Amino acid sequence: MVILHAGLCPGLTAEMIQLLKANGIQTVVDFISSDLEEVAQKCSLSYKALVAVRRVLLAQFSAFPINGADLYEELKSSMAILSTGSKSLDKLLDSGLYTGEVLELMGAPGSGKTQVCLSIAASVSHSLKQNVLFIDSTGGFTASRLLQLVQSRTEEEEEQVEALQRIQVAHVFDIYKMLAALQELRHCMSQQVVCSVGPVKLLVVDSVSAVVCPLLGGRQSEGLALMMQLARELKTLAREFGLATVPTGIQVELDIGGYEALEERPGASGEEL
Amino acid sequence: MQRDLGSLPLAPALRARLVGAGFSTAQELLEVGPCELSKEIGISKEEALETLQVIRQECDSNAVRTGGDPTALRKCTALELLEQEQAQGFVITFCSALDDMLGGGVQLTKITEICGAPGVGKTQLCMQLAVDVQIPECFGGLAGEAVYIDTEGSFMVERVVDIATACVQHCQLIAEAQQEEDHHKALETFSLEGILSHMYYFRCHDYTELLAQIYLLPDFLSEHSKVRLVAVDGIAFPFRHDFEDLSLRTRLLNGLAQQLISIANDHKLAVILTNQMTTRIGQSQSTLVPALGESWGHAATIRLILHWDNNQRLATLYKSPSQKESTVPYCVTPHGFRDVQPPPPSQTPEGSEMNPRKRPRIEEDKQ
């Protein structure tokens, strides 16, 4: 819902906005969905001017449809499949991580989620030479372990150093900072600013549930709203910029109760590895 | 910057009003002044000003990417992190087998959880670590201070005196053997009084006090920047008895875990937690598992389980992102946490009657 303000489009002056506001039309949606004849009469504005403004606003704010064939062509040319570095995992995932998609890893404590994340990051950074952003919210990222994983792939020190330099790590420990990090990444990529290394191809979030769990439950639904925000950010990043996104979650066995509409496994859908 | 209003830390009622008035991104809010905002939504001018300040701070901290702004999002490459990790020290436990298993000792910037049945040595290990973190750098320590948060009341100062005295003696032996100048200088400050005065002790009686203490810890740490260890002895105790609402407990524990890892990361210190054990009754057998549930299992980065095997105490590394799982024996001596001394070779099960002329060797507790 965008608020009408002067300069939003040519022909929309401040006086017009004042008159419209006085009659209860504040946002673009209000304007477009109202009956222009009535508005022209009530606000004593020219009907032609209103129609012209509406045309411009519609052009500016509506979404354009795209046909299936074009979509398919676009996907074929832009989607890439990143190998995870482990053959059996690749086979399970139908040859690897697809860019533009979100893959969720879920598991009990100590089952190896962080290790899989590290090894995927090492493989993408070293074998495919792509940049990786690793968002760590549990403190489980150990650079020496990552070095071990990279060393098992190559003996040369220079390659190891390069591979490590392509992986950026951000430490965020609460939901707002994580949302800020994701939005900063989105901003960075949409401006095509070279963030010191280049465009990111893989985003790993370890783990999503660590920042979401403190918010869920009880009678308030704010936590759910924030969780959905986070999910939407991840999905948008994956779709718009062609990233492969890998968040991890936890698996809780017993039903603690008190969760009405929500399963206690945040993000329960997804492949369990 | 087009930041959605839902992702900013605002009160729900305020957010509902903002959305009702038609604002959806932070950018729109920033264009409006506080007086206009208060008129539009119907809140007081002070509230409008506060809200705008919060939003401006959030957006500014995102805009400043480099530069020494501590609240900005800090991103670094894995290579820089590796260099940082290698330069960081560890908190040694004085039990070399345990230190090797942990990869050098208790790691900084991580949460290590110690679980065990009653009496196996969790509090002893905490007290030992609280002394060991203060060992001067020339002896291989961190020269840091310690914060000890006690919820069970099991902290005994007399025991800490024993441990500290043994540690000082150990360092003195090293100094005499190596005869270096900085060793002697360091020993002047590394004395019993020094150790005890650099250990900050907090006693929390219930979970509210514990939560308050941990949420207020960053302020304390910014005044005492030399703290390198925070030990919470008994994180399970206040949460296990008398807690009806289990979903609240999960939420509080998860929030606590995030706060602790955030403290560990920001101030570069090690966090130690001790946890109790509970019995999980399976289909045909029952096993001892750490208390506080599965979701708490994700909170600690490194999990150490202490248990008995006949008369021998064992430590198992149950969860670690960089070390292999293994089990080592240890023992608790009057001097503190130590390695198991290998049994003397001349001792036979029948005793010394085999060879009456040879006196049995008396094991002296020395390190």
Side-chain angles (χ1 to χ4, degrees), chain A residues 1 107 109 115 137 139 141-145 164 167 169 171 173 183-184 210 213-214 216-218 222 229 232 250, chain B residues 1 3-4 6-7 12 15 22 65 73 75-78 81-82 85 110 250-251 254 258 265 294 298 301 321:
Chain A
M1 278 206 291
Q115 298 300 308
S137 68
F141 181 87
T142 324
S144 39
R145 176 69 180 142
L164 284 184
I167 302 179
V169 182
H171 289 286
F173 299 112
Q183 289 187 335
E184 193 198 323
C213 264
L216 296 177
E222 277 295 310
Q229 279 258 318
R232 196 178 66 170
I250 65 169
Chain B
M1 240 254 307
R3 267 199 75 175
D4 206 33
S7 67
R15 192 178 308 144
R65 218 159 286 132
L73 185 66
K75 268 196 296 194
C76 41
T77 64
L81 269 185
L82 182 67
E85 268 181 34
K110 304 255 189 279
T250 318
R251 272 204 307 285
N254 284 320
Q258 289 306 109
N265 204 52
E294 287 271 320
H298 297 273
T301 320

Side-chain angles (χ1 to χ4, degrees), chain B residues 7-163:
Chain B
S7 67
L8 294 168
L10 300 169
L14 183 60
R15 192 178 308 144
R17 286 203 207 186
L18 285 170
V19 170
F23 294 101
S24 61
T25 67
Q27 202 63 32
E28 289 167 13
L29 265 184
L30 286 178
E31 287 169 8
V32 176
C35 303
E36 286 181 41
L37 189 64
S38 67
K39 259 189 280 176
E40 291 249 354
I41 329 178
I43 52 176
S44 69
K45 287 222 183 88
E46 293 85 28
E47 276 187 41
L49 195 59
E50 251 185 65
T51 313
L52 284 177
Q53 273 178 349
V54 163
I55 296 177
R56 205 163 281 134
Q57 209 182 24
E58 283 286 314
C59 292
D60 279 343
S61 64
N62 292 333
V64 178
R65 218 159 286 132
T66 50
D69 189 358
T71 55
L73 185 66
R74 267 172 304 171
K75 268 196 296 194
C76 41
T77 64
L79 191 65
E80 289 164 21
L81 269 185
L82 182 67
E83 287 164 12
Q84 267 178 29
E85 268 181 34
Q86 284 173 341
Q88 246 171 35
F90 295 92
V91 186
I92 59 171
T93 62
F94 260 99
C95 170
S96 52
L98 189 58
D99 284 338
D100 287 335
M101 185 170 78
L102 290 172
V106 173
Q107 281 185 32
L108 296 185
T109 75
K110 304 255 189 279
I111 299 184
T112 306
E113 186 183 354
I114 304 169
C115 321
V120 76
K122 308 185 291 292
T123 308
Q124 299 297 311
L125 183 54
C126 279
M127 294 197 283
Q128 180 74 58
L129 289 167
V131 169
D132 289 347
V133 75
Q134 304 187 35
I135 296 178
E137 278 163 8
C138 51
F139 294 107
L142 292 173
E145 303 177 353
V147 166
Y148 196 102
I149 301 178
D150 188 10
T151 59
E152 298 170 346
S154 46
F155 184 82
M156 299 273 118
V157 186
E158 299 84 3
R159 183 65 179 139
V160 178
V161 167
D162 290 341
I163 296 178

Side-chain angles (χ1 to χ4, degrees), chain A residues 249-270:
Chain A
I250 65 169
Q251 178 185 41
V252 180
E253 281 178 11
L254 46 96
D255 186 332
I256 299 180
Y259 291 88
E260 293 105 335
L262 170 75
E263 284 182 47
E264 75 281 5
R265 282 177 253 179
S269 67

